[in-house]
Amino acid sequence: MTAPLLSVEDLVVEHRTPGRPVVRAVAGASLHVAAGEVVGLVGESGCGKSTLARAVCGLHGAASGRILVGGRPVTPLGLRRRDPALTGVQMVFQDPYSSLNPRRRVGAQIADGLRTAGDSATSPADLLERVGLPRDFAGRYPHEFSGGQRQRVAIARALAARPSLLIGDEPISALDASAQAQVARLMRDLAVESGAGLLFISHDLSVVRLIADRIAVMYLGKVVETGPTAEVWADPRHPYTRALLAAIPSPDGAGVLPAELPGDVPDPADPPAGCRFHPRCPLVMDVCREKEPDFGPVACWLHAPEPSSAS
Amino acid sequence: MTAAPKTAALTIEGLRVSIGGHDVLHGVDLTLEAGRVHGLAGESGSGKTMTGLAVLGLLPHGSRVSGRIAFGGRDLLEMPARELNEVRGAKIAMVFQDPATSLHPMLTVERQLTEHMRHHLGVGRKEARERAAGLLAKVRIPGPEEALKRYPHQFSGGMRQRIAIAVALACEPEVLIADEPTTALDVTVQAGILRLLRGLCDDLGLAVLLVTHDLGVMSAVADEVSVMKDGLVVETGPRGRVLREPSHPYTRSLLDALPVPPAEESR
Ligand SMILES: Nc1ncnc2c1ncn2[C@@H]1O[C@H](COP(=O)(O)OP(=O)(O)OP(=O)(O)O)[C@@H](O)[C@H]1O
Ligand SMILES: Nc1ncnc2c1ncn2[C@@H]1O[C@H](COP(=O)(O)OP(=O)(O)OP(=O)(O)O)[C@@H](O)[C@H]1O
Ligand code: SF4
Ligand SMILES: [Mg+2]
Ligand SMILES: [Mg+2]
């Protein structure tokens, strides 16, 4: 088997603020993305998805564990100017303002990406067109766009650089339903056709379901379930995954409020002992309060792997 | 349908906006009623955010506005800037699509929550602080007391949006304009926010304009639904009718774009 394009192994990332408890935003998470594969990363708001993504881009250092891109370890930016492992990585940030320079016309910013890729055949206007924007928008500044238009620009800029690993952090959250499906498919097609990998972070599970080959579900700093998208969808096994899928509101016009997950959103600075989900889990058992289920693909004592299936 | 008389909290009539000579709204009509959620969907760039900004008098510089926005017997478009400032924040609040716009990066969460309260409601420092912690708990920020001391960048994207919602609710407004308030949230936290919004409408008579492209969200909380395209409202009506029997082709195309739920696939 070839090495995956991206491996995140037992990654721990901490946010430190003077005078406050350390926030362990990513607390031993593992994740893999193969070339040509789309992995959807989902989970509760604040569970560490963006922190993980930013660590992969070298924007946060790892407290422990490691990140390999194309087999090379990623070191945080600033230690070296541009880590060679990162040249093929592009990220579309959750807040599109972070992906774009407010003082430069978007056409010029897309042109930078094209130059990085050594692409002289494509023009910024071509890319705008591909993401569904008028060609003459290249002359505008980021603030002259609507929320959804700005997200499309951020995607066009990232795609221009022809990344081998594209990370989208809520990249299409502001688009309407029909545009979401279209832009998500575009991201998928461009990644898969060129053999790149796509790590797609989204709260919109219907979009993840549409484009992801595999899905990774994160809860409070850990990946608690991974599997092929269709399988997880048809048979979610971790109780948190079940709660997540059950909370998707249905567009049937019936006016039914979706189910809420009971209990408080936990503070990552002070995570519960044992299974991190136990205070909110409807199926909690004694063992859950004491021992952390530290295994995959489903990190839950109800789904512990067989003691020995070595053959 | 309901026996209770409906009260129009805010009425938008023939709203036109142009920015730099470019028309973005071509005569928008919308009515918000006390205790009701009015859902606004529509194409990206169709003018949903501009409609909200016009109500608050926050359109970009160089915009030209005409039409009428009636609130409490007055036309907001005619109101002097100083009076409009009093209405905005205290009686009409907005949650922006991008939480970075709602929150000041250099001020602690406590300052942002208590400043308006102290100014508009005239409550003291201690009471304001207690109310602020209560609001954070309501929008489900873990460790509300501790969170008050932090700055926006120390929270995740979804948490920032929840704080922005708390700031908007701080002065107990009569009208809330919520621009994609749950887009940055996962579905379980979203469910909590939708229940919170619904409760504020039902219990306190808040009138809500909820901009969302998520038709599931629309279906869960909106009483009325309007759909915008190219600077115009192309369809408006009760939730059940618009989502089940849309009359405009664009609304139909939105519904058709939805991935088919598994239960129906197997039929
Ligand atoms: N500062 C500006 N200058 C010129 N045009 C602008 C400016 N801001 C927005 N626009 C344009 O106004 C139109 C309406 O924008 P608006 O932000 O209201 O759209 P929206 O319906 O909220 O879209 P989205 O769902 O993408 O947020 C868009 O076509 C946009 O390009
Ligand atoms: N700069 C920072 N300083 C301190 N804490 C931080 C910082 N950035 C994030 N955090 C905390 O780390 C945790 C994880 O944040 P992160 O942004 O990774 O979450 P997320 O999964 O992307 O959430 P969302 O879906 O809401 O965007 C949160 O509890 C957040 O408050
Ligand atoms: S390990 Fe126990 S508490 Fe945790 S999810 Fe499984 S059953 Fe629930
Ligand atoms: Mg995030
Ligand atoms: Mg908008």
Side-chain angles (χ1 to χ4, degrees):
Chain A
M1 201 186 105
T2 53
L5 180 62
L6 168 68
S7 323
V8 173
E9 290 163 11
D10 241 335
L11 180 71
V12 176
V13 182
E14 297 176 334
H15 294 296
R16 288 169 187 278
T17 320
R20 309 223 191 292
V22 171
V23 176
R24 189 167 267 219
V26 179
S30 302
L31 186 83
H32 301 275
V33 181
E37 185 185 41
V38 179
V39 175
L41 180 61
V42 303
E44 193 164 40
S45 162
C47 72
K49 303 178 296 295
S50 296
T51 304
L52 185 146
R54 292 169 59 90
V56 170
C57 294
L59 297 170
H60 288 307
S64 68
R66 49 181 207 159
I67 302 169
L68 301 173
V69 174
R72 304 170 77 153
V74 171
T75 47
L77 287 179
L79 297 185
R80 238 182 290 161
R81 290 257 294 295
R82 182 79 175 141
D83 191 309
L86 289 173
T87 45
V89 183
Q90 283 289 328
M91 175 153 168
V92 179
F93 291 90
Q94 187 163 11
D95 167 7
Y97 276 113
S98 321
S99 300
L100 300 169
N101 179 340
R103 279 179 284 278
R104 293 182 65 214
R105 292 180 200 277
V106 301
Q109 301 190 49
I110 296 171
D112 290 347
L114 289 169
R115 239 187 325 276
T116 311
D119 181 346
S120 52
T122 314
S123 76
D126 295 338
L127 275 159
L128 288 175
E129 198 166 33
R130 287 202 79 166
V131 297
L133 290 174
R135 298 180 69 92
D136 61 0
F137 276 21
R140 290 195 184 191
Y141 290 94
H143 74 268
E144 293 175 305
F145 291 92
S146 78
Q149 291 167 342
R150 199 151 41 230
Q151 286 191 330
R152 293 184 197 230
V153 172
I155 292 169
R157 201 204 57 91
L159 290 176
R162 297 269 173 92
S164 59
L165 174 65
L166 178 61
I167 302 176
D169 190 359
E170 300 283 354
I172 54 170
S173 57
L175 303 185
D176 69 40
S178 57
Q180 279 200 339
Q182 176 213 331
V183 177
R185 281 209 188 88
L186 173 79
M187 289 180 77
R188 182 194 160 81
D189 292 349
L190 290 180
V192 172
E193 276 165 22
S194 63
L198 172 59
L199 180 63
F200 190 87
I201 302 175
S202 178
H203 286 307
D204 194 323
L205 298 166
S206 55
V207 175
V208 171
R209 183 171 163 223
L210 194 66
I211 68 159
D213 302 305
R214 279 191 312 120
I215 162 170
V217 182
M218 217 171 150
Y219 184 80
L220 200 59
K222 292 212 161 213
V223 174
V224 295
E225 178 161 3
T226 56
T229 307
E231 271 175 37
V232 173
W233 214 274
D235 179 25
R237 293 190 287 165
H238 196 284
Y240 173 66
T241 313
R242 291 196 181 161
L244 196 63
L245 296 186
I248 303 174
S250 147
D252 55 7
V256 179
L257 283 162
E260 210 177 338
L261 183 59
D264 286 330
V265 177
D267 186 349
D270 183 21
C275 169
R276 302 178 147 234
F277 189 55
H278 90 252
R280 305 168 84 184
C281 180
L283 303 174
V284 58
M285 307 169 290
D286 286 342
V287 59
C288 310
R289 296 189 184 89
E290 284 142 32
K291 275 188 9 209
E292 181 151 23
D294 226 349
F295 41 78
V298 184
C300 167
W301 287 115
L302 293 170
H303 301 280
E306 298 293 317
S308 168
S309 58
S311 51
Chain B
M1 291 211 322
T2 45
K6 293 176 180 177
T7 18
L10 187 135
T11 315
I12 300 174
E13 285 166 22
L15 181 67
R16 292 173 167 272
V17 170
S18 70
I19 308 173
H22 179 75
D23 290 340
V24 296
L25 300 182
H26 304 276
V28 168
D29 299 313
L30 278 176
T31 302
L32 306 188
E33 285 159 20
R36 316 267 295 171
V37 176
H38 194 124
L40 184 60
E43 208 167 32
S44 173
S46 61
K48 304 180 295 293
T49 298
M50 289 300 154
T51 302
L53 292 178
V55 172
L56 292 166
L58 293 176
L59 288 168
H61 282 291
S63 306
R64 297 173 48 125
V65 202
S66 65
R68 206 178 125 76
I69 303 178
F71 174 74
R74 305 277 306 270
D75 182 355
L76 294 180
L77 294 180
E78 303 276 305
M79 205 178 255
R82 251 198 43 242
E83 276 181 67
L84 188 60
N85 260 328
E86 285 298 309
V87 170
R88 177 169 64 219
K91 298 223 164 80
I92 305 179
M94 179 154 178
V95 178
F96 294 90
Q97 186 164 5
D98 178 354
T101 322
S102 307
L103 298 174
H104 194 295
M106 310 293 278
L107 298 180
T108 60
V109 169
E110 174 167 0
R111 277 273 307 274
Q112 320 211 24
L113 276 165
T114 57
E115 202 128 282
H116 280 294
M117 254 189 245
R118 297 184 62 198
H119 176 74
H120 291 294
L121 303 181
V123 300
R125 177 181 292 274
K126 190 157 164 283
E127 192 191 337
R129 208 191 130 77
E130 274 163 19
R131 282 190 186 213
L135 279 165
L136 289 183
K138 237 186 192 161
V139 295
R140 312 195 73 186
I141 297 291
E145 290 286 338
E146 172 68 22
L148 282 176
K149 294 179 232 152
R150 288 158 64 186
Y151 292 88
H153 76 268
Q154 294 168 330
F155 294 89
S156 78
M159 291 161 118
R160 279 202 284 268
Q161 187 60 290
R162 282 181 270 160
I163 294 167
I165 294 171
V167 171
L169 296 176
C171 290
E172 299 166 2
E174 291 166 30
V175 175
L176 177 68
I177 296 173
D179 193 358
E180 305 275 7
T182 62
T183 313
L185 305 178
D186 66 281
V187 287
T188 56
V189 174
Q190 167 173 283
I193 297 291
L194 297 181
R195 282 166 185 266
L196 173 71
L197 283 180
R198 190 68 254 177
L200 290 167
C201 282
D202 296 345
D203 305 341
L204 305 175
L206 183 71
V208 177
L209 179 65
L210 176 70
V211 178
T212 178
H213 61 257
D214 186 327
L215 299 178
V217 167
M218 198 65 108
S219 168
V221 283
D223 299 298
E224 275 80 41
V225 173
S226 290
V227 180
M228 278 183 83
K229 188 170 164 42
D230 300 330
L232 272 179
V233 173
V234 294
E235 172 151 21
T236 190
R239 166 194 68 225
R241 191 194 55 68
V242 176
L243 293 179
R244 291 200 194 121
E245 300 139 32
S247 55
H248 195 277
Y250 175 66
T251 317
R252 173 141 297 284
S253 77
L254 283 183
L255 288 163
D256 289 345
L258 295 171
V260 185
E264 281 158 44
E265 248 167 13
S266 54
R267 268 184 213 161

